[in-house]
Amino acid sequence: LQPGDLDIQPLKFEHTFFCKTCGNIASTRSCPHTSEHHLVLSGTRVREMLRAGTLPPPEFTRPEVAQILIEAMRAA
């Protein structure tokens, strides 16, 4: 493929996290707080939690959604 063949524009974005002080999802560009205020979970860590039957923090996902994911992973 040559540049432009797919007629799409890649979007680059920063890693995001939940800031306990801001009370919402943020990035280093939008949040003035240091890392001890941030809740960061990798996809790998979340999958490990779900496989173990552990609910991720509610700041990351709603408990009812996490429960559905736990059941789906157990069935797989």
Side-chain angles (χ1 to χ4, degrees), residues 7 9 18 28 30 35 45-46 58 61-62 64 73-74:
D7 197 30
Q9 173 86 23
F18 181 86
T28 56
S30 65
S35 61
R45 178 69 183 121
V46 172
T61 188
R62 293 181 295 170
E64 60 271 22
M73 291 187 91
R74 286 184 178 156

Side-chain angles (χ1 to χ4, degrees), residues 31-52:
C31 173
H33 303 106
T34 55
S35 61
E36 65 262 9
H37 299 267
H38 301 167
L39 171 62
V40 179
L41 293 175
S42 70
T44 300
R45 178 69 183 121
V46 172
R47 286 187 299 275
E48 288 171 353
M49 293 175 79
L50 295 172
R51 281 189 196 104

Side-chain angles (χ1 to χ4, degrees), residues 8-12:
I8 60 172
Q9 173 86 23
L11 299 176
K12 298 178 182 180

Side-chain angles (χ1 to χ4, degrees), residues 1-8:
L1 294 174
Q2 298 298 316
D5 283 353
L6 296 179
D7 197 30
I8 60 172

